[in-house]
Amino acid sequence: MIKDVIYSIESELKDTWKDEPTGHDWEHIRRVRDMSLHLQKIEGGNRDIIHLGALLHDISDHKFNGGILNANGEAARIWLKKLNCPESISYDVCELVDKISFKGANVEIGELSIETKIIQDADRLDAIGAIGIARAFAFGGNKNRPIYNPSVNPILHDNFEQYAKSKSHTINHFYEKLLLLKSKMQTVEGKKIAETRHAFMENFLKAFYTDWNITSKKND
Ligand code: ADP
Ligand code: NI
């Protein structure tokens, strides 16, 4: 029964999201699902809720639904109802999918269930490291953001609306979100994986500034 619901959602997502250009394509969803199921084996939590929550975590994200905040839960509820997903599972899935998304550096988040923590960690692991860097520049390019502008400093947002409206250059996104994620990981296994990916981003930024400064000095 739940297997059919999962299969049906997976098939449609594969189809609809296969060429999504901002780093939120089917392969992102698949990686978050696979990482979530890996974390579940170590950390526990309800496997079906985690599987469905991971598949649906970006279903109506503000970054590509025209700017509507917290719309995932309602979109998930409609879809799960259509597939006759048991209420005992769909209720928790819809509750958690609005909580996953990063809402700003200084935005307080309340106590989360183990299922929410796991999917959030898996989603954040996909935002950092080599793949995270690739996704950030894919997103920035798609939204017409410059790669870098040294005269525009990062902002640590304290509300979701402000964070969602930000149109800064992509290097700032590292300081506004990506480099903050390591210390916000909530599972032991997630923290461990984040260490290596975080170090890779720090090395990338070091190399980026070295290259940037060599070329700008040449014209002094
Ligand atoms: P979340 O909802 O927690 O932000 P997502 O799965 O939607 O997580 O993925 C967010 C990813 O989208 C970021 O990690 C980054 O790669 C990209 N992204 C979002 N905002 C920006 C931005 N302002 N500049 C560059 N990339 C961004
Ligand atoms: Ni995501």
Side-chain angles (χ1 to χ4, degrees):
M1 174 66 193
I2 270 295
K3 275 209 173 82
D4 297 337
V5 176
I6 290 172
Y7 180 78
S8 173
I9 291 179
E10 184 174 328
S11 312
E12 195 169 326
L13 289 174
K14 260 184 199 159
D15 228 41
T16 327
W17 295 78
K18 66 177 184 322
D19 295 325
E20 201 280 340
T22 72
H24 295 82
D25 55 344
W26 160 250
E27 289 299 326
H28 164 65
I29 301 168
R30 180 196 58 73
R31 290 190 301 270
V32 172
R33 187 269 309 273
D34 292 352
M35 180 62 80
S36 297
L37 293 178
H38 166 72
L39 296 178
Q40 188 278 334
K41 274 201 186 132
I42 299 165
E43 311 276 340
N46 181 303
R47 203 162 169 85
D48 291 330
I49 292 173
I50 289 173
H51 199 154
L52 279 169
L55 286 175
L56 293 169
H57 84 275
D58 273 336
I59 190 65
S60 183
D61 193 276
H62 68 96
K63 293 189 277 316
F64 38 84
N65 72 3
I68 310 160
L69 306 182
N70 304 314
N72 271 338
E74 184 55 13
R77 193 186 63 75
I78 294 167
W79 200 357
L80 291 170
K81 195 166 181 333
K82 207 170 70 190
L83 295 172
N84 296 317
C85 179
E87 182 81 14
S88 58
I89 290 196
S90 67
Y91 181 84
D92 285 345
V93 172
C94 297
E95 274 282 297
L96 70 79
V97 287
D98 277 330
K99 297 187 177 147
I100 306 289
S101 197
F102 185 79
K103 298 183 170 54
N106 295 330
V107 178
E108 289 283 328
I109 49 162
E111 188 48 39
L112 302 174
S113 66
I114 182 63
E115 290 81 8
T116 315
K117 286 179 180 169
I118 282 177
I119 305 168
Q120 197 168 64
D121 275 10
D123 194 28
R124 290 174 172 183
L125 285 171
D126 209 54
I128 61 176
I131 289 181
I133 295 171
R135 292 182 68 221
F137 289 103
F139 185 96
N142 182 273
K143 304 282 176 197
N144 297 321
R145 313 249 171 101
I147 292 174
Y148 182 42
N149 177 352
S151 61
V152 180
N153 292 325
I155 301 170
L156 298 181
H157 301 99
D158 49 25
N159 76 72
F160 188 18
E161 285 77 11
Q162 219 184 62
Y163 169 73
K165 273 193 209 134
S166 156
K167 295 213 182 313
S168 198
H169 59 86
T170 301
I171 289 293
N172 265 356
H173 191 62
F174 286 77
Y175 301 94
E176 292 174 354
K177 174 184 173 189
L178 307 184
L179 291 168
L180 309 176
L181 294 181
K182 182 177 69 119
S183 65
K184 291 179 185 280
M185 300 301 290
Q186 302 157 99
T187 63
V188 175
E189 177 71 358
K191 276 193 181 96
K192 214 165 81 188
I193 303 172
E195 291 286 341
T196 325
R197 297 189 184 190
H198 182 91
F200 187 82
M201 287 195 299
E202 285 190 323
N203 287 334
F204 164 77
L205 287 169
K206 229 186 271 167
F208 183 95
Y209 296 128
T210 304
D211 295 354
W212 184 278
N213 290 328
I214 283 174
T215 49
S216 54
K217 269 182 204 138
K218 265 194 178 152
N219 295 324
D220 279 349

